[in-house]
Amino acid sequence: MLKNILSPGECDTLSSLIDSSDNIVVCCHVNPDGDALGSCLGWAEFLRSRGKEPQIIIPDQYPDFLQWMPKTEMVIRYDKHKVEADELISCADLVFCLDFNQLSRTDAMAASLTDSHAPKVMFDHHLGPDIDCVLCVSRPEMSSTSEMVFRIVWQMDGFKMMTSRFAAPIYCGMMTDTGGFTYNSNSSETFFIISQLLTKGINKDKIYRNVYNNYSESRLRLIGYVLYKRLVVMPEQHASFFVLTRQDLCRFNFVKGDAEGLVNMPLQIKGMKLSISLREDTEKNNTIWVSLRSVDSFPCNKMAEMYFNGGGHLNASGGRLLCSIDEAVEITRDAILNFESTLK
Ligand code: 5GP
């Protein structure tokens, strides 16, 4: 049986907030991943079962390999429909913030969310929650925000009303945030949840293929190129990094999501503890997206905070540098060398 995630008081607060709200907005962080989008879609499905018509607003595009999820056609992109989205946010009487801990993680949407007078509810599994909320459910020990949504729905006795439209995005969010259940997923309760989701008729093998085996030929060639030409291994520090320049991305017809998972690959090298990817933005100059992955107890979130204007989890973090790719390489080398003693 699952342990409750909300206290009885929090459960009552959440229930009455939902019941008393007519204009509900559900949103997630910039560059939505499987967990961000999956948790929003799953939570919205639950809200619909409570007679609500929530609007899901996301800051920008999600990768194509998430397009198959049910009801993605209802999702509103802030970067494409700013006027409509601002109007929905300003009229909202309840805002759910899913899978992020600071409003700045929603990029251009942050101003609109800050101005909104609607009470906010946060469900998130990142460290350091920092949003002014009437209800802040922050559980860094959870595999994913999707797992949190499942548990909340379960506790609110809503799961029996749910169909595969809930189960599929929740499963996808859990799967992607645990690298296909290869990390952060050693709890028997995680597998109890999966067993319940399967009762709703989802096909987990197909979901895996939809997400992980649904790329273009160019993406595979990009990976080959990066590993051959761009990977820098620092064996003494048990660390490695690679750059993806705009030119590389253009050459291999990069589309959003093509770099997904690439940063994990250098960790396949024996003894490797840290892998960092530096990806130039395809449009904005001097904007480098940084991803960090580590094994064991190496705190990539600390490194992301100190060197890359970011944060995240112990073993998976991200950030952003506003500089040239050459400067980003220098910063990365410095970061690795300064963390040398922790890496050894
Ligand atoms: P990714 O490398 O997949 O973009 O991100 C890995 C993890 O770090 C995700 O959990 C993501 O939410 C988190 N993350 C990515 N960028 C940032 C950032 O700028 N700030 C914080 N606090 N977390 C981030």
Side-chain angles (χ1 to χ4, degrees), residues 284-320:
K284 288 180 239 151
N285 285 330
N286 286 332
T287 300
I288 314 290
W289 296 97
V290 186
S291 283
L292 303 94
R293 297 293 184 272
S294 68
V295 295
D296 297 333
S297 58
F298 183 81
C300 336
N301 44 0
K302 268 203 192 131
M303 185 182 260
E305 277 166 32
M306 285 173 66
Y307 287 89
F308 302 114
N309 308 307
H313 310 282
L314 186 79
N315 296 133
S317 303
R320 190 181 343 186

PDB file of all heavy atoms in Angstrom, residues 284-320:
ATOM      1  N   LYS A 284      19.280  31.947 -30.166  1.00  0.00           N
ATOM      2  CA  LYS A 284      19.822  33.050 -29.359  1.00  0.00           C
ATOM      3  C   LYS A 284      21.355  32.981 -29.310  1.00  0.00           C
ATOM      4  O   LYS A 284      21.909  31.922 -28.994  1.00  0.00           O
ATOM      5  CB  LYS A 284      19.265  32.987 -27.928  1.00  0.00           C
ATOM      6  CG  LYS A 284      17.798  33.385 -27.847  1.00  0.00           C
ATOM      7  CD  LYS A 284      17.301  33.308 -26.413  1.00  0.00           C
ATOM      8  CE  LYS A 284      16.145  32.341 -26.320  1.00  0.00           C
ATOM      9  NZ  LYS A 284      15.946  31.668 -25.092  1.00  0.00           N
ATOM     10  N   ASN A 285      21.986  34.137 -29.588  1.00  0.00           N
ATOM     11  CA  ASN A 285      23.453  34.177 -29.498  1.00  0.00           C
ATOM     12  C   ASN A 285      23.905  34.128 -28.050  1.00  0.00           C
ATOM     13  O   ASN A 285      23.170  34.569 -27.156  1.00  0.00           O
ATOM     14  CB  ASN A 285      23.976  35.464 -30.140  1.00  0.00           C
ATOM     15  CG  ASN A 285      23.906  35.355 -31.650  1.00  0.00           C
ATOM     16  OD1 ASN A 285      24.011  34.260 -32.208  1.00  0.00           O
ATOM     17  ND2 ASN A 285      23.704  36.474 -32.307  1.00  0.00           N
ATOM     18  N   ASN A 286      25.096  33.596 -27.838  1.00  0.00           N
ATOM     19  CA  ASN A 286      25.683  33.557 -26.493  1.00  0.00           C
ATOM     20  C   ASN A 286      24.774  32.928 -25.447  1.00  0.00           C
ATOM     21  O   ASN A 286      24.687  33.402 -24.313  1.00  0.00           O
ATOM     22  CB  ASN A 286      26.083  34.965 -26.034  1.00  0.00           C
ATOM     23  CG  ASN A 286      27.335  35.421 -26.753  1.00  0.00           C
ATOM     24  OD1 ASN A 286      28.159  34.598 -27.151  1.00  0.00           O
ATOM     25  ND2 ASN A 286      27.466  36.715 -26.951  1.00  0.00           N
ATOM     26  N   THR A 287      24.080  31.891 -25.835  1.00  0.00           N
ATOM     27  CA  THR A 287      23.251  31.141 -24.881  1.00  0.00           C
ATOM     28  C   THR A 287      23.624  29.667 -24.999  1.00  0.00           C
ATOM     29  O   THR A 287      23.490  29.062 -26.065  1.00  0.00           O
ATOM     30  CB  THR A 287      21.748  31.332 -25.178  1.00  0.00           C
ATOM     31  OG1 THR A 287      21.457  32.717 -25.071  1.00  0.00           O
ATOM     32  CG2 THR A 287      20.879  30.550 -24.195  1.00  0.00           C
ATOM     33  N   ILE A 288      24.142  29.137 -23.904  1.00  0.00           N
ATOM     34  CA  ILE A 288      24.603  27.743 -23.909  1.00  0.00           C
ATOM     35  C   ILE A 288      23.783  26.961 -22.879  1.00  0.00           C
ATOM     36  O   ILE A 288      23.784  27.297 -21.688  1.00  0.00           O
ATOM     37  CB  ILE A 288      26.099  27.639 -23.506  1.00  0.00           C
ATOM     38  CG1 ILE A 288      26.966  28.685 -24.229  1.00  0.00           C
ATOM     39  CG2 ILE A 288      26.616  26.223 -23.700  1.00  0.00           C
ATOM     40  CD1 ILE A 288      27.161  28.492 -25.686  1.00  0.00           C
ATOM     41  N   TRP A 289      23.106  25.923 -23.339  1.00  0.00           N
ATOM     42  CA  TRP A 289      22.341  25.059 -22.429  1.00  0.00           C
ATOM     43  C   TRP A 289      23.276  23.990 -21.871  1.00  0.00           C
ATOM     44  O   TRP A 289      23.988  23.332 -22.626  1.00  0.00           O
ATOM     45  CB  TRP A 289      21.172  24.399 -23.165  1.00  0.00           C
ATOM     46  CG  TRP A 289      20.175  25.404 -23.659  1.00  0.00           C
ATOM     47  CD1 TRP A 289      20.097  25.942 -24.914  1.00  0.00           C
ATOM     48  CD2 TRP A 289      19.128  26.017 -22.900  1.00  0.00           C
ATOM     49  NE1 TRP A 289      19.071  26.852 -24.979  1.00  0.00           N
ATOM     50  CE2 TRP A 289      18.458  26.914 -23.760  1.00  0.00           C
ATOM     51  CE3 TRP A 289      18.688  25.897 -21.585  1.00  0.00           C
ATOM     52  CZ2 TRP A 289      17.375  27.683 -23.347  1.00  0.00           C
ATOM     53  CZ3 TRP A 289      17.611  26.659 -21.168  1.00  0.00           C
ATOM     54  CH2 TRP A 289      16.964  27.537 -22.037  1.00  0.00           C
ATOM     55  N   VAL A 290      23.238  23.842 -20.573  1.00  0.00           N
ATOM     56  CA  VAL A 290      24.171  22.910 -19.927  1.00  0.00           C
ATOM     57  C   VAL A 290      23.386  21.778 -19.271  1.00  0.00           C
ATOM     58  O   VAL A 290      22.362  22.013 -18.615  1.00  0.00           O
ATOM     59  CB  VAL A 290      24.994  23.642 -18.834  1.00  0.00           C
ATOM     60  CG1 VAL A 290      26.065  22.736 -18.260  1.00  0.00           C
ATOM     61  CG2 VAL A 290      25.625  24.918 -19.394  1.00  0.00           C
ATOM     62  N   SER A 291      23.847  20.554 -19.470  1.00  0.00           N
ATOM     63  CA  SER A 291      23.268  19.395 -18.771  1.00  0.00           C
ATOM     64  C   SER A 291      24.378  18.664 -18.055  1.00  0.00           C
ATOM     65  O   SER A 291      25.477  18.501 -18.611  1.00  0.00           O
ATOM     66  CB  SER A 291      22.632  18.415 -19.766  1.00  0.00           C
ATOM     67  OG  SER A 291      21.403  18.890 -20.196  1.00  0.00           O
ATOM     68  N   LEU A 292      24.092  18.233 -16.857  1.00  0.00           N
ATOM     69  CA  LEU A 292      25.098  17.504 -16.070  1.00  0.00           C
ATOM     70  C   LEU A 292      24.493  16.195 -15.575  1.00  0.00           C
ATOM     71  O   LEU A 292      23.328  16.172 -15.141  1.00  0.00           O
ATOM     72  CB  LEU A 292      25.531  18.313 -14.844  1.00  0.00           C
ATOM     73  CG  LEU A 292      26.098  19.710 -15.072  1.00  0.00           C
ATOM     74  CD1 LEU A 292      25.013  20.761 -14.960  1.00  0.00           C
ATOM     75  CD2 LEU A 292      27.184  20.008 -14.057  1.00  0.00           C
ATOM     76  N   ARG A 293      25.302  15.141 -15.630  1.00  0.00           N
ATOM     77  CA  ARG A 293      24.874  13.851 -15.073  1.00  0.00           C
ATOM     78  C   ARG A 293      26.041  13.269 -14.277  1.00  0.00           C
ATOM     79  O   ARG A 293      27.198  13.392 -14.693  1.00  0.00           O
ATOM     80  CB  ARG A 293      24.504  12.850 -16.184  1.00  0.00           C
ATOM     81  CG  ARG A 293      23.332  13.261 -17.047  1.00  0.00           C
ATOM     82  CD  ARG A 293      22.020  13.282 -16.295  1.00  0.00           C
ATOM     83  NE  ARG A 293      20.905  13.580 -17.186  1.00  0.00           N
ATOM     84  CZ  ARG A 293      20.481  14.805 -17.481  1.00  0.00           C
ATOM     85  NH1 ARG A 293      21.072  15.861 -16.945  1.00  0.00           N
ATOM     86  NH2 ARG A 293      19.464  14.983 -18.312  1.00  0.00           N
ATOM     87  N   SER A 294      25.713  12.617 -13.158  1.00  0.00           N
ATOM     88  CA  SER A 294      26.783  12.014 -12.364  1.00  0.00           C
ATOM     89  C   SER A 294      26.321  10.670 -11.827  1.00  0.00           C
ATOM     90  O   SER A 294      25.143  10.313 -11.949  1.00  0.00           O
ATOM     91  CB  SER A 294      27.150  12.933 -11.197  1.00  0.00           C
ATOM     92  OG  SER A 294      26.088  12.986 -10.269  1.00  0.00           O
ATOM     93  N   VAL A 295      27.259   9.962 -11.230  1.00  0.00           N
ATOM     94  CA  VAL A 295      26.894   8.714 -10.554  1.00  0.00           C
ATOM     95  C   VAL A 295      27.277   8.837  -9.079  1.00  0.00           C
ATOM     96  O   VAL A 295      28.035   9.725  -8.688  1.00  0.00           O
ATOM     97  CB  VAL A 295      27.582   7.472 -11.178  1.00  0.00           C
ATOM     98  CG1 VAL A 295      27.104   7.252 -12.600  1.00  0.00           C
ATOM     99  CG2 VAL A 295      29.097   7.613 -11.154  1.00  0.00           C
ATOM    100  N   ASP A 296      26.742   7.911  -8.309  1.00  0.00           N
ATOM    101  CA  ASP A 296      26.996   7.862  -6.855  1.00  0.00           C
ATOM    102  C   ASP A 296      26.673   9.212  -6.210  1.00  0.00           C
ATOM    103  O   ASP A 296      25.684   9.831  -6.534  1.00  0.00           O
ATOM    104  CB  ASP A 296      28.435   7.416  -6.564  1.00  0.00           C
ATOM    105  CG  ASP A 296      28.682   5.999  -7.069  1.00  0.00           C
ATOM    106  OD1 ASP A 296      27.694   5.242  -7.149  1.00  0.00           O
ATOM    107  OD2 ASP A 296      29.834   5.667  -7.397  1.00  0.00           O
ATOM    108  N   SER A 297      27.596   9.681  -5.363  1.00  0.00           N
ATOM    109  CA  SER A 297      27.231  10.849  -4.550  1.00  0.00           C
ATOM    110  C   SER A 297      27.757  12.169  -5.108  1.00  0.00           C
ATOM    111  O   SER A 297      27.708  13.184  -4.421  1.00  0.00           O
ATOM    112  CB  SER A 297      27.741  10.645  -3.121  1.00  0.00           C
ATOM    113  OG  SER A 297      29.142  10.462  -3.183  1.00  0.00           O
ATOM    114  N   PHE A 298      28.256  12.171  -6.351  1.00  0.00           N
ATOM    115  CA  PHE A 298      28.760  13.449  -6.860  1.00  0.00           C
ATOM    116  C   PHE A 298      27.590  14.418  -7.103  1.00  0.00           C
ATOM    117  O   PHE A 298      26.681  14.117  -7.877  1.00  0.00           O
ATOM    118  CB  PHE A 298      29.575  13.284  -8.148  1.00  0.00           C
ATOM    119  CG  PHE A 298      30.125  14.615  -8.584  1.00  0.00           C
ATOM    120  CD1 PHE A 298      31.274  15.127  -8.005  1.00  0.00           C
ATOM    121  CD2 PHE A 298      29.436  15.402  -9.498  1.00  0.00           C
ATOM    122  CE1 PHE A 298      31.741  16.393  -8.342  1.00  0.00           C
ATOM    123  CE2 PHE A 298      29.900  16.671  -9.838  1.00  0.00           C
ATOM    124  CZ  PHE A 298      31.064  17.160  -9.257  1.00  0.00           C
ATOM    125  N   PRO A 299      27.649  15.602  -6.441  1.00  0.00           N
ATOM    126  CA  PRO A 299      26.496  16.519  -6.505  1.00  0.00           C
ATOM    127  C   PRO A 299      26.503  17.426  -7.728  1.00  0.00           C
ATOM    128  O   PRO A 299      27.005  18.542  -7.677  1.00  0.00           O
ATOM    129  CB  PRO A 299      26.664  17.348  -5.213  1.00  0.00           C
ATOM    130  CG  PRO A 299      28.151  17.387  -4.989  1.00  0.00           C
ATOM    131  CD  PRO A 299      28.730  16.126  -5.575  1.00  0.00           C
ATOM    132  N   CYS A 300      25.913  16.972  -8.829  1.00  0.00           N
ATOM    133  CA  CYS A 300      25.902  17.864  -9.999  1.00  0.00           C
ATOM    134  C   CYS A 300      25.091  19.112  -9.729  1.00  0.00           C
ATOM    135  O   CYS A 300      25.346  20.138 -10.327  1.00  0.00           O
ATOM    136  CB  CYS A 300      25.277  17.300 -11.216  1.00  0.00           C
ATOM    137  SG  CYS A 300      25.051  15.788 -11.688  1.00  0.00           S
ATOM    138  N   ASN A 301      24.105  19.017  -8.823  1.00  0.00           N
ATOM    139  CA  ASN A 301      23.300  20.228  -8.573  1.00  0.00           C
ATOM    140  C   ASN A 301      24.153  21.346  -7.966  1.00  0.00           C
ATOM    141  O   ASN A 301      23.976  22.514  -8.296  1.00  0.00           O
ATOM    142  CB  ASN A 301      22.064  19.926  -7.721  1.00  0.00           C
ATOM    143  CG  ASN A 301      22.336  19.034  -6.541  1.00  0.00           C
ATOM    144  OD1 ASN A 301      23.472  18.619  -6.321  1.00  0.00           O
ATOM    145  ND2 ASN A 301      21.323  18.739  -5.769  1.00  0.00           N
ATOM    146  N   LYS A 302      25.118  20.955  -7.119  1.00  0.00           N
ATOM    147  CA  LYS A 302      25.996  21.990  -6.528  1.00  0.00           C
ATOM    148  C   LYS A 302      26.831  22.631  -7.624  1.00  0.00           C
ATOM    149  O   LYS A 302      27.004  23.841  -7.681  1.00  0.00           O
ATOM    150  CB  LYS A 302      26.929  21.349  -5.490  1.00  0.00           C
ATOM    151  CG  LYS A 302      26.348  21.379  -4.112  1.00  0.00           C
ATOM    152  CD  LYS A 302      27.466  21.282  -3.067  1.00  0.00           C
ATOM    153  CE  LYS A 302      26.840  21.026  -1.712  1.00  0.00           C
ATOM    154  NZ  LYS A 302      27.467  19.927  -0.994  1.00  0.00           N
ATOM    155  N   MET A 303      27.383  21.789  -8.492  1.00  0.00           N
ATOM    156  CA  MET A 303      28.203  22.323  -9.586  1.00  0.00           C
ATOM    157  C   MET A 303      27.350  23.205 -10.499  1.00  0.00           C
ATOM    158  O   MET A 303      27.778  24.283 -10.928  1.00  0.00           O
ATOM    159  CB  MET A 303      28.822  21.175 -10.386  1.00  0.00           C
ATOM    160  CG  MET A 303      29.761  21.647 -11.457  1.00  0.00           C
ATOM    161  SD  MET A 303      30.438  20.287 -12.408  1.00  0.00           S
ATOM    162  CE  MET A 303      32.041  20.082 -11.680  1.00  0.00           C
ATOM    163  N   ALA A 304      26.112  22.764 -10.771  1.00  0.00           N
ATOM    164  CA  ALA A 304      25.219  23.548 -11.647  1.00  0.00           C
ATOM    165  C   ALA A 304      24.915  24.909 -11.030  1.00  0.00           C
ATOM    166  O   ALA A 304      24.875  25.924 -11.726  1.00  0.00           O
ATOM    167  CB  ALA A 304      23.927  22.774 -11.902  1.00  0.00           C
ATOM    168  N   GLU A 305      24.720  24.916  -9.716  1.00  0.00           N
ATOM    169  CA  GLU A 305      24.436  26.195  -9.040  1.00  0.00           C
ATOM    170  C   GLU A 305      25.652  27.108  -9.071  1.00  0.00           C
ATOM    171  O   GLU A 305      25.552  28.299  -9.337  1.00  0.00           O
ATOM    172  CB  GLU A 305      24.067  25.945  -7.567  1.00  0.00           C
ATOM    173  CG  GLU A 305      22.620  25.561  -7.349  1.00  0.00           C
ATOM    174  CD  GLU A 305      22.404  24.995  -5.954  1.00  0.00           C
ATOM    175  OE1 GLU A 305      23.106  25.418  -5.014  1.00  0.00           O
ATOM    176  OE2 GLU A 305      21.532  24.115  -5.813  1.00  0.00           O
ATOM    177  N   MET A 306      26.830  26.513  -8.791  1.00  0.00           N
ATOM    178  CA  MET A 306      28.037  27.340  -8.651  1.00  0.00           C
ATOM    179  C   MET A 306      28.580  27.854  -9.986  1.00  0.00           C
ATOM    180  O   MET A 306      29.103  28.949 -10.072  1.00  0.00           O
ATOM    181  CB  MET A 306      29.147  26.546  -7.943  1.00  0.00           C
ATOM    182  CG  MET A 306      28.904  26.402  -6.456  1.00  0.00           C
ATOM    183  SD  MET A 306      30.107  25.315  -5.688  1.00  0.00           S
ATOM    184  CE  MET A 306      31.618  26.238  -5.893  1.00  0.00           C
ATOM    185  N   TYR A 307      28.452  27.036 -11.034  1.00  0.00           N
ATOM    186  CA  TYR A 307      29.122  27.401 -12.287  1.00  0.00           C
ATOM    187  C   TYR A 307      28.183  27.655 -13.466  1.00  0.00           C
ATOM    188  O   TYR A 307      28.577  28.268 -14.444  1.00  0.00           O
ATOM    189  CB  TYR A 307      30.103  26.298 -12.697  1.00  0.00           C
ATOM    190  CG  TYR A 307      31.327  26.271 -11.820  1.00  0.00           C
ATOM    191  CD1 TYR A 307      31.350  25.521 -10.654  1.00  0.00           C
ATOM    192  CD2 TYR A 307      32.455  27.035 -12.141  1.00  0.00           C
ATOM    193  CE1 TYR A 307      32.467  25.510  -9.828  1.00  0.00           C
ATOM    194  CE2 TYR A 307      33.571  27.034 -11.333  1.00  0.00           C
ATOM    195  CZ  TYR A 307      33.578  26.268 -10.178  1.00  0.00           C
ATOM    196  OH  TYR A 307      34.682  26.275  -9.368  1.00  0.00           O
ATOM    197  N   PHE A 308      26.948  27.115 -13.407  1.00  0.00           N
ATOM    198  CA  PHE A 308      26.131  27.147 -14.621  1.00  0.00           C
ATOM    199  C   PHE A 308      24.758  27.803 -14.436  1.00  0.00           C
ATOM    200  O   PHE A 308      23.845  27.528 -15.221  1.00  0.00           O
ATOM    201  CB  PHE A 308      25.984  25.716 -15.166  1.00  0.00           C
ATOM    202  CG  PHE A 308      27.300  25.041 -15.479  1.00  0.00           C
ATOM    203  CD1 PHE A 308      27.730  23.930 -14.754  1.00  0.00           C
ATOM    204  CD2 PHE A 308      28.119  25.528 -16.488  1.00  0.00           C
ATOM    205  CE1 PHE A 308      28.950  23.316 -15.029  1.00  0.00           C
ATOM    206  CE2 PHE A 308      29.340  24.914 -16.777  1.00  0.00           C
ATOM    207  CZ  PHE A 308      29.757  23.806 -16.046  1.00  0.00           C
ATOM    208  N   ASN A 309      24.599  28.612 -13.408  1.00  0.00           N
ATOM    209  CA  ASN A 309      23.325  29.319 -13.168  1.00  0.00           C
ATOM    210  C   ASN A 309      22.140  28.365 -13.158  1.00  0.00           C
ATOM    211  O   ASN A 309      21.080  28.667 -13.744  1.00  0.00           O
ATOM    212  CB  ASN A 309      23.057  30.379 -14.253  1.00  0.00           C
ATOM    213  CG  ASN A 309      24.226  31.296 -14.434  1.00  0.00           C
ATOM    214  OD1 ASN A 309      24.697  31.871 -13.458  1.00  0.00           O
ATOM    215  ND2 ASN A 309      24.720  31.415 -15.653  1.00  0.00           N
ATOM    216  N   GLY A 310      22.316  27.219 -12.587  1.00  0.00           N
ATOM    217  CA  GLY A 310      21.236  26.241 -12.632  1.00  0.00           C
ATOM    218  C   GLY A 310      21.070  25.497 -11.334  1.00  0.00           C
ATOM    219  O   GLY A 310      21.316  26.014 -10.247  1.00  0.00           O
ATOM    220  N   GLY A 311      20.640  24.266 -11.449  1.00  0.00           N
ATOM    221  CA  GLY A 311      20.399  23.433 -10.279  1.00  0.00           C
ATOM    222  C   GLY A 311      19.810  22.113 -10.743  1.00  0.00           C
ATOM    223  O   GLY A 311      19.973  21.725 -11.896  1.00  0.00           O
ATOM    224  N   GLY A 312      19.101  21.455  -9.860  1.00  0.00           N
ATOM    225  CA  GLY A 312      18.474  20.184 -10.225  1.00  0.00           C
ATOM    226  C   GLY A 312      18.663  19.157  -9.139  1.00  0.00           C
ATOM    227  O   GLY A 312      18.627  19.477  -7.950  1.00  0.00           O
ATOM    228  N   HIS A 313      18.906  17.930  -9.550  1.00  0.00           N
ATOM    229  CA  HIS A 313      19.024  16.821  -8.602  1.00  0.00           C
ATOM    230  C   HIS A 313      20.501  16.459  -8.404  1.00  0.00           C
ATOM    231  O   HIS A 313      21.353  16.882  -9.169  1.00  0.00           O
ATOM    232  CB  HIS A 313      18.280  15.595  -9.125  1.00  0.00           C
ATOM    233  CG  HIS A 313      16.894  15.903  -9.549  1.00  0.00           C
ATOM    234  ND1 HIS A 313      15.865  16.074  -8.664  1.00  0.00           N
ATOM    235  CD2 HIS A 313      16.371  16.101 -10.775  1.00  0.00           C
ATOM    236  CE1 HIS A 313      14.774  16.353  -9.322  1.00  0.00           C
ATOM    237  NE2 HIS A 313      15.053  16.379 -10.613  1.00  0.00           N
ATOM    238  N   LEU A 314      20.744  15.602  -7.420  1.00  0.00           N
ATOM    239  CA  LEU A 314      22.105  15.171  -7.129  1.00  0.00           C
ATOM    240  C   LEU A 314      22.808  14.640  -8.384  1.00  0.00           C
ATOM    241  O   LEU A 314      23.933  15.022  -8.705  1.00  0.00           O
ATOM    242  CB  LEU A 314      22.058  14.067  -6.058  1.00  0.00           C
ATOM    243  CG  LEU A 314      23.388  13.595  -5.520  1.00  0.00           C
ATOM    244  CD1 LEU A 314      23.918  14.594  -4.498  1.00  0.00           C
ATOM    245  CD2 LEU A 314      23.268  12.210  -4.897  1.00  0.00           C
ATOM    246  N   ASN A 315      22.134  13.742  -9.108  1.00  0.00           N
ATOM    247  CA  ASN A 315      22.767  13.082 -10.252  1.00  0.00           C
ATOM    248  C   ASN A 315      22.336  13.609 -11.621  1.00  0.00           C
ATOM    249  O   ASN A 315      22.798  13.107 -12.649  1.00  0.00           O
ATOM    250  CB  ASN A 315      22.501  11.565 -10.202  1.00  0.00           C
ATOM    251  CG  ASN A 315      23.138  10.905  -8.997  1.00  0.00           C
ATOM    252  OD1 ASN A 315      22.497  10.131  -8.304  1.00  0.00           O
ATOM    253  ND2 ASN A 315      24.392  11.219  -8.728  1.00  0.00           N
ATOM    254  N   ALA A 316      21.421  14.554 -11.659  1.00  0.00           N
ATOM    255  CA  ALA A 316      20.959  15.093 -12.949  1.00  0.00           C
ATOM    256  C   ALA A 316      20.581  16.548 -12.756  1.00  0.00           C
ATOM    257  O   ALA A 316      19.645  16.850 -12.025  1.00  0.00           O
ATOM    258  CB  ALA A 316      19.752  14.315 -13.455  1.00  0.00           C
ATOM    259  N   SER A 317      21.349  17.426 -13.395  1.00  0.00           N
ATOM    260  CA  SER A 317      21.078  18.858 -13.229  1.00  0.00           C
ATOM    261  C   SER A 317      21.253  19.566 -14.552  1.00  0.00           C
ATOM    262  O   SER A 317      21.725  18.986 -15.532  1.00  0.00           O
ATOM    263  CB  SER A 317      22.045  19.471 -12.219  1.00  0.00           C
ATOM    264  OG  SER A 317      21.965  18.805 -11.000  1.00  0.00           O
ATOM    265  N   GLY A 318      20.874  20.834 -14.549  1.00  0.00           N
ATOM    266  CA  GLY A 318      21.019  21.617 -15.768  1.00  0.00           C
ATOM    267  C   GLY A 318      21.248  23.067 -15.428  1.00  0.00           C
ATOM    268  O   GLY A 318      21.174  23.472 -14.261  1.00  0.00           O
ATOM    269  N   GLY A 319      21.516  23.846 -16.451  1.00  0.00           N
ATOM    270  CA  GLY A 319      21.708  25.267 -16.252  1.00  0.00           C
ATOM    271  C   GLY A 319      21.894  25.953 -17.585  1.00  0.00           C
ATOM    272  O   GLY A 319      21.663  25.353 -18.650  1.00  0.00           O
ATOM    273  N   ARG A 320      22.315  27.203 -17.531  1.00  0.00           N
ATOM    274  CA  ARG A 320      22.445  27.983 -18.757  1.00  0.00           C
ATOM    275  C   ARG A 320      23.574  28.986 -18.590  1.00  0.00           C
ATOM    276  O   ARG A 320      23.703  29.613 -17.548  1.00  0.00           O
ATOM    277  CB  ARG A 320      21.133  28.729 -18.988  1.00  0.00           C
ATOM    278  CG  ARG A 320      21.009  29.384 -20.305  1.00  0.00           C
ATOM    279  CD  ARG A 320      19.711  30.133 -20.474  1.00  0.00           C
ATOM    280  NE  ARG A 320      18.649  29.807 -19.546  1.00  0.00           N
ATOM    281  CZ  ARG A 320      17.418  30.281 -19.630  1.00  0.00           C
ATOM    282  NH1 ARG A 320      17.079  31.064 -20.614  1.00  0.00           N
ATOM    283  NH2 ARG A 320      16.514  29.970 -18.737  1.00  0.00           N
TER     284      ARG A 320
END
